[in-house]
Amino acid sequence: MMALGFVAFLSSCSPDESGTNGLETGQMDASFTITPIDGSANRFRLTANNNDGAIKHIWNTGGTDMVTGEYIDIFLPDIDTYTIRHTVTGIGGASVSAEQPLNVTTADPIAGNLIHGGKFKTLEDYNQFQILTISAGGTAWSYDATNQWATIQGGGWNQQGIFQAVQVEGGKTYEVNMRVKGLGSINTWFELYVSQTAPTQGNDYSADGKRMQINTWAGCGGSPYDGLFSAVQCAANETSGRFITFANSGTAYVVVKCGGENIGSVSIDDVEMRRTN
């Protein structure tokens, strides 16, 4: 009798077949709406459509999970297509999720990244940049779809650049940086320029001086490296480094060029240019 009673007690405390202590996931709703805040192109409110049975809402905009209530206000300063994920957790740990794409087409004028496609997620991103032909051949930029990088390889003392035009305001300061990864080069230079002087095909580029550089003669780039350009560079800046203030509003050009005897492979990712004031 005692054994039978114990079994009955266990049965009465066991969760149901869904493993959710009485709450079926089918009863939960993770759908949500996305609403611009005050017509902003970069601020949005995410709102759960139904709060029934929910004890926790988890929102993810492509980064870290955020645990909050049935709505959340977010700020997305960069042009991109974001995957918004909403997970509702109920009694006993039951959870359901829903996703929606959110396409941000305008960068925030201050916090936004002026560079388009700088994460190189797709070939379309890579094609936001233009190739600057300097030497006849032997060195070339290409898109590495596997690692989602823009990569330059070659040598023979040839060089090639990659660049993008951006719109800037006079009197404002901007910061430029990117991730740079190299496998180790021989007699190679890798340089960043930012200027309102336009590059021209078939010609070298050095307008307004190097902002940052990796240079094997100066002691870096000969062995593997991976980090922010501002951190891995080793040669003294000819100008103000990664911070640039423009005298006039208009078009500026962010140019990266590389050349040398044997480049091996140098890649860039997370290219950014943001206003700081």
Side-chain angles (χ1 to χ4, degrees):
M1 291 288 291
M2 290 179 64
L4 290 173
F6 183 63
V7 170
F9 171 77
L10 289 177
S11 298
S12 67
C13 293
S14 299
D16 60 15
E17 291 182 358
S18 67
T20 60
N21 288 334
L23 183 64
E24 297 283 351
T25 56
Q27 299 173 252
M28 303 174 68
D29 180 11
S31 63
F32 59 96
T33 57
I34 302 174
T35 307
I37 297 176
D38 297 330
S40 171
N42 303 98
R43 298 183 186 274
F44 305 88
R45 172 162 289 188
L46 314 177
T47 306
N49 288 336
N50 193 325
N51 198 42
D52 292 346
I55 61 173
K56 183 166 64 175
H57 295 267
I58 302 173
W59 301 91
N60 190 301
T61 61
T64 304
D65 286 341
M66 296 171 284
V67 180
T68 183
E70 57 187 295
Y71 71 87
I72 185 174
D73 294 339
I74 61 172
F75 175 53
L76 301 173
D78 296 341
I79 296 173
D80 206 344
T81 298
Y82 299 85
T83 298
I84 309 299
R85 183 177 179 85
H86 177 221
T87 301
V88 175
T89 301
I91 299 170
S95 65
V96 293
S97 298
E99 291 184 351
Q100 283 192 57
L102 174 54
N103 190 25
V104 177
T105 58
T106 302
D108 181 80
I110 296 179
N113 185 8
L114 299 184
I115 299 294
H116 295 180
K119 292 185 180 297
F120 301 109
K121 294 180 180 179
T122 65
L123 180 59
E124 182 180 13
D125 288 342
Y126 173 78
N127 288 335
Q128 297 285 333
F129 294 78
Q130 298 182 60
I131 297 297
L132 175 61
T133 301
I134 300 173
S135 302
T139 294
W141 286 90
S142 63
Y143 177 56
D144 181 345
T146 301
N147 296 297
Q148 296 182 335
W149 295 331
T151 298
I152 187 166
Q153 295 175 301
W157 300 107
N158 297 292
Q159 61 177 330
Q160 192 178 82
I162 191 171
F163 72 96
Q164 187 174 133
V166 296
Q167 297 303 307
V168 298
E169 292 186 46
K172 304 298 183 182
T173 300
Y174 297 80
E175 180 180 6
V176 180
N177 221 330
M178 66 192 73
R179 178 188 173 193
V180 183
K181 181 174 182 177
L183 300 181
S185 306
I186 299 172
N187 295 333
T188 294
W189 60 90
F190 186 91
E191 301 166 350
L192 169 68
Y193 298 85
V194 184
S195 172
Q196 291 189 281
T197 300
T200 56
Q201 297 296 337
N203 293 290
D204 199 358
Y205 191 85
S206 59
D208 297 331
K210 293 184 285 289
R211 294 290 171 175
M212 293 187 284
Q213 64 174 331
I214 296 169
N215 188 298
T216 56
W217 291 274
C220 65
S223 56
Y225 55 90
D226 185 357
L228 285 177
F229 203 160
S230 58
V232 301
Q233 69 161 342
C234 63
N237 298 323
E238 293 184 1
T239 51
S240 58
R242 68 184 189 273
F243 295 99
I244 307 104
T245 302
F246 299 95
N248 303 302
S249 299
T251 303
Y253 301 88
V254 179
V255 181
V256 178
K257 74 173 188 180
C258 180
E261 181 182 359
N262 187 346
I263 295 169
S265 175
V266 180
S267 301
I268 61 173
D269 192 13
D270 297 328
V271 184
E272 295 188 352
M273 180 172 180
R274 300 180 188 273
R275 217 178 90 183
T276 62
N277 65 351

